[in-house]
Amino acid sequence: MGLVAAGAVTGGAAFWAYPHVFPKEEAVGPEPVEIIVEKPRKKGISKEDNRGILSSQHVQVKNSWEHPGVYAWGCNAGKVVAPNSDESVIKTPRRIRFFDGQLLRDLKLDRDFGAAINEHGDLVQWGAAFAQNITVPITTLKGKDLIKLAISQDRILALARGGSVYSIPVTHIDQQSGEKPSSSSWIPFWSGSSSVSYRSLAPQGLGFGEKVIDVKSGLHHCLLLTSKGRVFSAASSTETFPTRGQLGIPGLTWQTRPKGPFDQPHEIESLRGLKVREIATGDFHSLALDSEGRLFAFGDNSSGQLGFEMKPESPCVDDPLELPVQKLYSGTNLKPKVTSIAAGGHNSFFTVDATTFQSKSSTTIVPARELGRVAAETWACGEGIKGALGNGKWTHVSSGPTKVKLLSDLNEYNEKTNSVVPIRLSRLSVGSSHACAILDNVTKLSTSSQSSDSDTYYGADTLWWGGNEFYQLGTGKRNNINVPIHIAPLDGGKLGESSRFQVTPKTTVRLGEGGSGRMASVEQKVECGRLVTAVYSST
């Protein structure tokens, strides 16, 4: 009671003293309030127009069908993202006009050169490293029915539908002056000498019906994956032989290499007998994922990119080692299985489906309704000084995998199944210092003339992070970002909750303005390269 009274007296004294300590102010009335009447919302002349007004996502999906092509941004020192511009950087997404209306099978970008496979399976090249005097993309290797690309420091690796792998020099001069082998084509009755110089990477000892189905490349090495889950490695640069264990062949050096071509493929013996289903490469390291969800890593580990703690006395691993992912979930009631891998620069990423179960060693009782629940999570390792780990930290070297929280444990309600489902990643593109994740969220690519104006399209969300010194994240600003963020739509507009860049998943539609063109299967893909980024229409 005494405390209350004391408080009352103190408060009263303060109230009394106020006008004596501070000058008396004239009474001021309330400021006049400005009444702003919201302008009537613009109305379209048709239901389709109204949908576009209501939804930025609807417009993005529609534009991707009506105006396919390539957007690019970032460093333009090599005239790759804007071939006809002298600007050193392109701060926001800009169309490469040469590709307007085109669908591509694949596209890869370096700061100094670009390579793409057009719809006909031919190789298209451009950029200063290709030719200083050629300012527009041109077709080089033709008639091979190419389907996938990978790029090294100075060569392009192109995979044909039949499983052949071609190694083509980046420069136009080397293509014209080098040896041009006689070649056949997938086109019947067409053969002759190639118009450009190239080398063939042909793994020996393939079984009946076995062929190469994927190729990935670092700066000096490449990995080849066959249809039977075997992995071969080879040198992919004519300038430098791999020296950091990234080939996965213990003891293999320039001095100890076997007789024959310097870039002949070697089967990675430590992976023999496994059914490898996915491969990935960074600048100087390699990853392989088998059908059982086991992840193997080898090569340079100077930044911790293999997922193991870096040892200064032995920074490289030349024999594939399994990453003990289960240790990341030790002491939990979660059983992990790696579902996908990605790599680039000095970084590695992998996604995990962690299934809830009742561990016998756990004292925590898992409710029956939680058993079997899957949490989709993303992990990163390697260099993070520019934010490329996406974990909110700036670190030179990682001591082990860290969870990317903003890409983990995401869920959404699926109206078709009437259930809450995990949101996984559909793809992860990793550049030399930045990355983009495309979410496998529920999308909508059809509407009905009988439905309401609010029945709109929406695509797959994208999230971006990492180095941004050349504006390669597409934010229009230059600061590095260490957590995944959204960016604004490609064709402009402010970033907002309902206005963010989404890619259009694969579907079959009629292209062109108002759907007046040909029918085609098309989707948008993201490619993060060396200090550059592109979004392209893929077939």
Side-chain angles (χ1 to χ4, degrees):
M1 192 72 177
L3 289 174
V4 175
V9 172
T10 302
F15 175 78
W16 175 83
Y18 180 87
H20 294 272
V21 176
F22 301 98
K24 184 177 180 181
E25 297 179 357
E26 297 293 330
V28 179
E31 294 184 3
V33 178
E34 181 182 3
I35 300 175
I36 300 176
V37 180
E38 184 180 359
K39 294 181 180 180
R41 178 175 288 175
K42 179 182 176 182
K43 285 191 174 182
I45 59 176
S46 69
K47 182 174 291 188
E48 186 60 29
D49 288 337
N50 284 329
R51 287 169 174 163
I53 294 169
L54 286 172
S55 171
S56 164
Q57 286 91 337
H58 185 86
V59 174
Q60 291 182 69
V61 171
K62 188 176 178 182
N63 282 347
S64 74
W65 297 335
E66 293 189 342
H67 308 288
V70 176
Y71 294 82
W73 60 96
C75 180
N76 196 43
K79 293 185 177 295
V80 172
V81 297
N84 297 313
S85 173
D86 292 327
E87 297 168 86
S88 61
V89 293
I90 304 301
K91 298 181 180 181
T92 54
R94 181 182 299 183
R95 291 183 76 97
I96 299 179
R97 292 299 174 187
F98 174 85
F99 293 108
D100 280 358
Q102 295 191 42
L103 305 183
L104 303 178
R105 294 185 181 183
D106 202 357
L107 178 145
K108 292 290 182 288
L109 298 183
D110 181 86
R111 175 186 58 188
D112 298 318
F113 64 91
I117 303 174
N118 64 22
E119 199 169 359
H120 307 295
D122 299 330
L123 179 63
V124 177
Q125 292 181 247
W126 70 101
F130 169 60
Q132 291 280 356
N133 60 336
I134 299 177
T135 59
V136 295
I138 65 170
T139 304
T140 54
L141 186 62
K142 303 177 182 179
K144 299 296 186 182
D145 196 17
L146 306 177
I147 57 173
K148 287 186 179 182
L149 288 178
I151 57 176
S152 73
Q153 178 177 275
D154 58 348
R155 300 188 74 84
I156 297 167
L157 304 179
L159 172 65
R161 192 180 302 277
S164 298
V165 180
Y166 304 99
S167 176
I168 307 110
V170 164
T171 69
H172 185 60
I173 292 176
D174 288 344
Q175 290 179 9
Q176 297 305 309
S177 61
E179 182 180 353
K180 301 179 180 66
S182 58
S183 60
S184 59
S185 169
W186 67 282
I187 302 173
F189 311 113
W190 188 95
S191 63
S193 180
S194 172
S195 60
V196 300
S197 173
Y198 67 81
R199 301 175 63 88
S200 292
L201 302 186
Q204 299 299 306
L206 297 187
F208 179 75
E210 184 178 13
K211 66 177 183 178
V212 177
I213 60 171
D214 198 9
V215 56
K216 294 290 194 300
S217 183
L219 289 180
H220 305 150
H221 80 294
C222 67
L223 296 182
L224 310 177
L225 176 65
T226 78
S227 53
K228 292 190 176 180
R230 298 163 69 190
V231 181
F232 293 78
S233 62
S236 62
S237 168
T238 55
E239 295 183 2
T240 307
F241 193 81
T243 59
R244 306 192 193 185
Q246 63 265 51
L247 292 174
I249 312 292
L252 179 60
T253 66
W254 176 259
Q255 291 76 20
T256 64
R257 73 191 191 281
K259 292 182 179 180
F262 77 94
D263 55 358
Q264 60 183 292
H266 308 272
E267 183 170 9
I268 301 178
E269 295 294 335
S270 296
L271 299 178
R272 184 188 285 250
L274 303 177
K275 176 67 174 176
V276 174
R277 65 180 183 84
E278 193 172 353
I279 53 175
T281 54
D283 282 353
F284 307 108
H285 71 286
S286 304
L287 304 177
L289 176 65
D290 77 356
S291 58
E292 301 297 320
R294 292 175 295 185
L295 171 57
F296 299 85
F298 47 103
D300 180 29
N301 194 41
S302 58
S303 297
Q305 59 264 53
L306 300 186
F308 308 106
E309 187 173 357
M310 195 277 287
K311 298 179 181 179
E313 68 278 9
S314 54
C316 299
V317 177
D318 62 3
D319 200 12
L321 291 179
E322 182 180 353
L323 186 66
V325 176
Q326 66 277 5
K327 287 187 177 181
L328 301 174
Y329 294 85
S330 178
T332 72
N333 287 297
L334 295 172
K335 184 179 297 183
K337 181 178 181 180
V338 180
T339 55
S340 68
I341 56 176
H346 300 279
N347 293 101
S348 299
F349 296 85
F350 58 94
T351 59
V352 171
D353 271 5
T355 305
T356 303
F357 76 111
Q358 183 59 64
S359 173
K360 294 180 180 179
S361 61
S362 175
T363 58
T364 303
I365 304 300
V366 179
R369 66 178 181 276
E370 292 294 317
L371 293 175
R373 179 182 175 274
V374 175
E377 301 183 333
T378 303
W379 296 79
C381 44
E383 185 180 80
I385 194 61
K386 294 181 181 179
L389 293 175
N391 62 358
K393 299 179 181 179
W394 311 98
T395 54
H396 283 282
V397 178
S398 61
S399 58
T402 59
K403 187 186 295 187
V404 185
K405 293 183 179 179
L406 293 181
L407 297 178
S408 301
D409 304 306
L410 304 177
N411 297 282
E412 65 181 340
Y413 184 75
N414 189 321
E415 294 181 352
K416 293 182 179 180
T417 61
N418 292 321
S419 62
V420 176
V421 296
I423 302 177
R424 298 178 172 87
L425 304 190
S426 67
R427 187 168 182 264
L428 188 56
S429 180
V430 187
S432 58
S433 63
H434 72 297
C436 172
I438 300 172
L439 302 187
D440 191 22
N441 56 276
V442 174
T443 59
K444 189 171 185 298
L445 303 178
S446 62
T447 59
S448 168
S449 59
Q450 306 301 317
S451 58
S452 68
D453 291 4
S454 60
D455 182 26
T456 59
Y457 305 134
Y458 44 90
D461 276 309
T462 64
L463 290 144
W464 307 73
W465 68 95
N468 199 25
E469 63 271 43
F470 292 95
Y471 299 89
Q472 61 262 44
L473 291 181
T475 61
K477 300 178 182 179
R478 205 166 193 167
N479 57 303
N480 299 333
I481 297 172
N482 62 9
V483 292
I485 63 164
H486 293 288
I487 65 171
L490 294 181
D491 287 315
K494 293 184 178 180
L495 175 64
E497 184 178 349
S498 60
S499 179
R500 59 189 185 273
F501 171 49
Q502 295 182 324
V503 296
T504 305
K506 193 161 195 173
T507 189
T508 300
V509 294
R510 193 171 289 280
L511 304 177
E513 196 77 37
S516 58
R518 63 189 174 98
M519 290 291 292
S521 178
V522 61
E523 64 179 313
Q524 283 183 310
K525 290 184 177 180
V526 174
E527 180 59 35
C528 294
R530 191 167 303 280
L531 310 178
V532 293
T533 308
V535 175
Y536 65 101
S537 301
S538 173
T539 184

